[in-house]
Amino acid sequence: MLNIILPDGSQRELADGASGYDLAASISEGLARNALAVTVNGEVRDLHRPLPDNAQVSILTWNDTAGKSTYWHSSAHLMAEALEALYPGVKLAIGPAIENGFYYDVDLGEGRSISSEDFPEIEKKMLELAKNKSQYIRKEVSKADAIAYFTEKQDPYKLELLENLEDGNITFYTQGGFTDLCRGPHIPDTGTIKAAKLMNVAGAYWRGDEKNKQLTRLYGITFPKAKDLAEYLERLEEAKRRDHRKLGKELKLFAFSEKVGAGLPLWLPKGTALRERLEQFLRRAQVKAGYSPVVTPHIGAKELYVTSGHYEKYGADSFQPIKTPNPGEEFFLKPMNCPHHCEIYKTEPRSYRDLPVRLAEFGTVYRYEQSGELHGLTRVRGFTQDDAHIFCRPDQVKEEFMKVIDIVLYVLKALDFPDFTAQISLRDPENKTKYIGSDENWEKAESAIQEAALEKGLNTVTEYGEAAFYGPKLDFMVRDAIGRRWQLGTIQVDYNLPERFDLEYTAADNSKQRPVMIHRAPFGSLERFVAVLIEHCGGNFPLWLTPEQFIVLPISDKYSDYAYQVKAQLEQHDLRGTVDGRDERIGRKIRDAEMGKIPYLLVVGEKEAQDNIISVRKHGEGDLGSMPLEAFVKSVQGQMAEVM
């Protein structure tokens, strides 16, 4: 008999040779019907593979991220099968699952291409094949047999992939008449794929190298129900309406200029006001939490980043060195703030009594992103991090880490991001060469993060291989109003930079000790955070944050003087707004103000001027009636006090 440990800690006995499907069936018929794959001791595996004894097993369904990923990986194989049927001789490269759906890179051959007009035919073929309910069959093969198969098939990309594989690590998956080189796992059969939609077609260089041939990358997504696809497409349309690039232009928040340079945003007056409000909000929280503000240059000597390790890891992908008239002297645009903060720490001797030292900076950094990867404010070449670095004693790490978690939670609450998961990002245990520092320091840092997250009661997931090169981190993965997932705030524990910069403090016994460094950025970067915020709220910013909280709309020019009096009185109460003094009909002014997503529209005419009142309209809600200015001020300030 097999002993299987379930996620809740309970145990279940199964016959030798039992599979994940057998386990699901022993729990309930419904679970067996909906099961897509299993995790066995943390590894995702095919549902029908035999289970080992004493394994920790979890059944994956469509409701699990890993379940969806397995489903979409299998769908990529189904699309490849359809492409081979429709485009004889097509050469296949790779076809992974992505966050929403999958893609497959293919070489169609000279003179052939795929456009959106071809999508319906491919989708139809996919669903036709899916109805066969073909099983995904796993087979271990020798390297020689694998080479022979793809040589006969004339698939050069698969042969190149085989070059780095060894016997014992090569598997084929077959469904219907299609066989692919693949590690898996896959869903049981194609029958659960009920709805398919091809989303996009693009060019992609083989293995991401522009020296290689450009392939056709075909993106798609599938669902177990047609209704799910319809809802997904509806969410995509909503995402287009909320696109921060579109709203940023309409609301006059930011712009880009080819003459300034790609990926370098220009903040317009309203966007600058929004950005400054965010900075002020966090600065106040930081002062209360004991942070000291600092400012560092936009450039640094090459040696600074060699010492920190950033040059070794990122130098080739950064902006190239800035040379000076002095031979051999080189500077770099600052890619990170942390090396500069290490040097600030070193400006004076530190005692154990001085720690923790908390240094905070809204520091602008520069990284050369490939032009094809630039995207509005979410992927830029120059951005400002709400960066802070805490230098503390080892016995202070957990307490300081928990205090930083409090700040991140405060930010997420104030900006109405209630749905988030804390991702504990650890080293890849199979490839430690990507990281700097000793195993001992990594183990201490990872334990501190895990304990702090547990004590704070955070909803966490653990991801191996997602750590920074110098230390593990806690990333806050936020879901926005239409269900998309974003990585915003981050906290990182670092034992390595203090060693590289030879940072010290004097302990109680007069010995010299290394401080521990905590990297912290609740927003991540202001640019990306603003982009996510715009799309989350559709441009309807929280009242305390929005650049213009009100606009006064005089019915005609006769009431402009009163309109400006209203504006002046509201500004005395720290409310922000403007007057629309254009010679336009009041209906046009209201429509334009609604389009501008200004929270409060204050209409003034003869009655309002005589009675010293305002007629209030709220964006998206309509007429709230007439009221004295004092009542309006009290109402607005009360709404902001609830958040702040």
Side-chain angles (χ1 to χ4, degrees), residues 345-351 354-355 357 504-506 512:
Y345 178 89
K346 291 179 71 173
T347 57
E348 59 181 281
R350 308 285 181 176
S351 161
D354 300 325
L355 272 54
V357 173
E504 295 180 338
Y505 67 91
T506 303
K512 297 298 183 182

Side-chain angles (χ1 to χ4, degrees), residues 287-354:
V287 168
K288 290 179 182 178
Y291 287 80
S292 299
V294 296
V295 176
T296 61
H298 287 251
I299 64 173
K302 176 181 176 180
E303 185 58 34
L304 179 69
Y305 308 116
V306 171
T307 300
S308 69
H310 289 99
Y311 179 77
E312 178 186 355
K313 294 291 179 180
Y314 304 120
D317 299 320
S318 297
F319 285 96
Q320 293 306 294
I322 302 167
K323 297 186 182 296
T324 74
N326 187 14
E329 187 176 52
E330 292 183 343
F331 289 81
F332 276 86
L333 287 170
K334 179 172 60 173
M336 298 287 278
N337 298 303
C338 40
H340 297 251
H341 290 190
C342 287
E343 289 298 305
I344 290 177
Y345 178 89
K346 291 179 71 173
T347 57
E348 59 181 281
R350 308 285 181 176
S351 161
Y352 71 96
R353 295 188 182 91
D354 300 325

Side-chain angles (χ1 to χ4, degrees), residues 370-384:
Q370 296 296 323
S371 59
E373 296 178 344
L374 298 175
H375 183 84
L377 293 181
T378 60
R379 202 73 180 264
V380 291
R381 289 173 173 166
F383 55 94
T384 301

Side-chain angles (χ1 to χ4, degrees), residues 106-169:
V106 301
D107 183 349
L108 293 165
E110 295 298 325
R112 293 199 298 190
S113 63
I114 291 176
S115 72
S116 58
E117 294 178 357
D118 302 308
F119 289 179
E121 182 183 21
I122 300 170
E123 294 162 5
K124 180 181 177 182
K125 190 64 177 179
M126 288 176 66
L127 295 179
E128 176 187 312
L129 293 168
K131 288 178 181 177
N132 295 330
K133 298 184 179 180
S134 301
Q135 291 184 342
Y136 287 89
I137 301 170
R138 180 179 186 271
K139 180 183 178 183
E140 295 183 5
V141 296
S142 68
K143 186 168 184 175
D145 287 346
I147 290 173
Y149 177 84
F150 285 111
T151 299
E152 182 180 353
K153 194 181 175 189
Q154 298 182 345
D155 238 330
Y157 305 103
K158 301 297 181 182
L159 289 170
E160 188 173 330
L161 292 172
L162 280 167
E163 290 176 4
N164 297 320
L165 299 179
E166 300 298 334
D167 279 320
N169 295 312

Side-chain angles (χ1 to χ4, degrees), residues 328-509:
E329 187 176 52
E330 292 183 343
F331 289 81
F332 276 86
L333 287 170
K334 179 172 60 173
M336 298 287 278
N337 298 303
C338 40
H340 297 251
H341 290 190
C342 287
E343 289 298 305
I344 290 177
Y345 178 89
K346 291 179 71 173
T347 57
E348 59 181 281
R350 308 285 181 176
S351 161
Y352 71 96
R353 295 188 182 91
D354 300 325
L355 272 54
V357 173
R358 306 181 186 96
L359 305 177
E361 175 180 18
F362 285 88
T364 302
V365 298
Y366 303 89
R367 300 176 194 170
Y368 188 81
E369 302 284 356
Q370 296 296 323
S371 59
E373 296 178 344
L374 298 175
H375 183 84
L377 293 181
T378 60
R379 202 73 180 264
V380 291
R381 289 173 173 166
F383 55 94
T384 301
Q385 292 180 310
D386 58 323
D387 230 348
H389 296 94
I390 302 163
F391 302 88
C392 60
R393 303 190 308 266
D395 63 289
Q396 297 172 320
V397 170
K398 190 167 78 171
E399 180 184 359
E400 288 300 311
F401 200 91
M402 292 173 72
K403 288 180 179 178
V404 176
I405 290 176
D406 288 337
I407 290 180
V408 175
L409 297 181
Y410 172 62
V411 168
L412 296 180
K413 180 181 178 182
L415 291 160
D416 192 27
F417 285 106
D419 187 0
F420 63 88
T421 300
Q423 176 178 301
I424 301 174
S425 300
L426 306 178
R427 266 193 312 181
D428 180 352
E430 304 300 323
N431 184 11
K432 296 181 180 179
T433 59
K434 298 189 297 184
Y435 312 97
I436 60 175
S438 68
D439 287 345
E440 179 187 2
N441 283 344
W442 272 90
E443 288 164 7
K444 287 190 291 186
E446 290 176 344
S447 293
I449 289 181
Q450 290 166 324
E451 290 173 11
L454 180 63
E455 290 190 27
K456 282 294 178 183
L458 298 179
N459 177 26
T460 63
V461 295
T462 300
E463 294 289 345
Y464 292 93
E466 295 296 318
F469 74 91
Y470 50 77
K473 55 183 181 171
L474 188 70
D475 294 324
F476 286 80
M477 315 303 292
V478 174
R479 286 204 180 275
D480 68 12
I482 56 175
R484 295 169 303 177
R485 192 165 173 258
W486 304 87
Q487 190 263 307
L488 293 181
T490 185
I491 318 170
Q492 304 165 5
V493 177
D494 183 0
Y495 283 80
N496 297 306
L497 283 188
E499 286 189 5
R500 296 178 78 99
F501 279 92
D502 195 24
L503 305 185
E504 295 180 338
Y505 67 91
T506 303
D509 62 0

Side-chain angles (χ1 to χ4, degrees), residues 198-217:
L198 300 194
M199 304 303 299
N200 192 23
V201 61
Y205 292 108
W206 169 233
R207 292 192 156 179
D209 188 341
E210 60 186 16
K211 295 177 183 177
N212 291 334
K213 185 171 184 177
Q214 189 174 63
L215 306 177
T216 298
R217 177 169 291 180

